[in-house]
Amino acid sequence: MLENFYPDEYLDSAYQIEFDRLYQEGYRGIIFDVDNTLVPHGAPADGRARKLFVHLKELGYQCCLLSNNKEPRVKLFNDAVQVQYIFKAGKPKVSGYRKAMELMGTEEGNTLFVGDQIFTDVYGANRAGIRTILTKPIHPKEEIQIVLKRYLEKIVLYFYRHRK
């Protein structure tokens, strides 16, 4: 049962993902969570995020931001990176992931999801049939409901690491 929460990959940062290699493997769309995946909570896109999206577009990726936040927050980030975005997505509901693939013109087999939370990001993407990459949170300061979930995530990650 815990397997539903396991990512396909677990990395320290979204900025260390080998996007060039994944493109060569046939991936064409990337769905990103924003807060604590690409920037700290509430922060606008920084130089590193802008550079990443320029590179992804040059490679040929379609990208979409998928966030449970309200539109002003997501738009603030997107103003600098200029990709598709979905706000108030209701993750882990599958519908947001499917809508993102529709916007990008991709499907389950050639789409990646990158996020920092197991119970929303990874669980929803797994249910949608998308390859998942879990990243460590960028910044330790988080809203209280997320802090509480992090304790449960530690349990899932313990079993994830010891599954073999």
Side-chain angles (χ1 to χ4, degrees):
M1 175 170 154
L2 283 180
E3 291 82 12
N4 292 327
F5 300 102
Y6 292 168
D8 293 305
E9 246 180 298
Y10 181 37
L11 301 171
D12 287 339
S13 169
Y15 298 99
Q16 73 176 155
I17 297 170
E18 296 178 28
F19 292 110
D20 296 54
R21 176 183 53 82
L22 291 166
Y23 191 86
Q24 290 174 352
E25 290 177 13
Y27 290 96
R28 295 297 181 262
I30 308 170
I31 304 170
F32 285 98
D33 175 53
V34 177
D35 285 323
N36 243 355
T37 299
L38 296 167
V39 292
H41 276 279
D46 56 17
R48 183 168 68 161
R50 288 191 302 274
K51 184 178 175 183
L52 172 65
F53 281 93
V54 166
H55 180 66
L56 294 174
K57 291 175 189 178
E58 286 172 351
L59 286 172
Y61 279 110
Q62 296 296 313
C63 298
C64 185
L65 308 174
L66 185 67
S67 176
N68 286 346
N69 271 306
K70 295 176 183 170
E71 186 172 23
R73 162 60 195 132
V74 184
K75 187 178 181 314
L76 172 71
F77 183 89
N78 192 57
D79 283 346
V81 299
Q82 295 294 304
V83 296
Q84 301 283 346
Y85 69 91
I86 299 169
F87 60 95
K88 292 177 82 174
K91 294 181 290 184
K93 285 195 256 177
V94 173
S95 57
Y97 300 87
R98 297 218 187 287
K99 175 73 174 170
M101 288 186 282
E102 181 182 315
L103 290 172
M104 295 186 300
T106 61
E107 53 194 33
E108 292 90 346
N110 66 359
T111 303
L112 304 165
F113 181 84
V114 181
D116 71 299
Q117 291 188 56
I118 289 175
F119 298 113
T120 52
D121 297 332
V122 172
Y123 181 56
N126 281 344
R127 290 174 48 226
I130 301 169
R131 180 173 174 177
T132 56
I133 301 174
L134 176 68
T135 63
K136 292 180 180 173
I138 286 180
H139 195 276
K141 186 178 182 231
E142 297 182 295
E143 297 169 350
I144 188 65
Q145 70 272 17
I146 296 171
V147 171
L148 298 173
K149 284 192 276 185
R150 295 289 185 203
Y151 289 107
L152 296 173
E153 285 184 352
K154 287 179 183 178
I155 295 167
V156 173
L157 288 170
Y158 171 83
F159 287 104
Y160 167 75
R161 289 183 182 113
H162 294 90
R163 69 182 175 200
K164 292 182 182 180

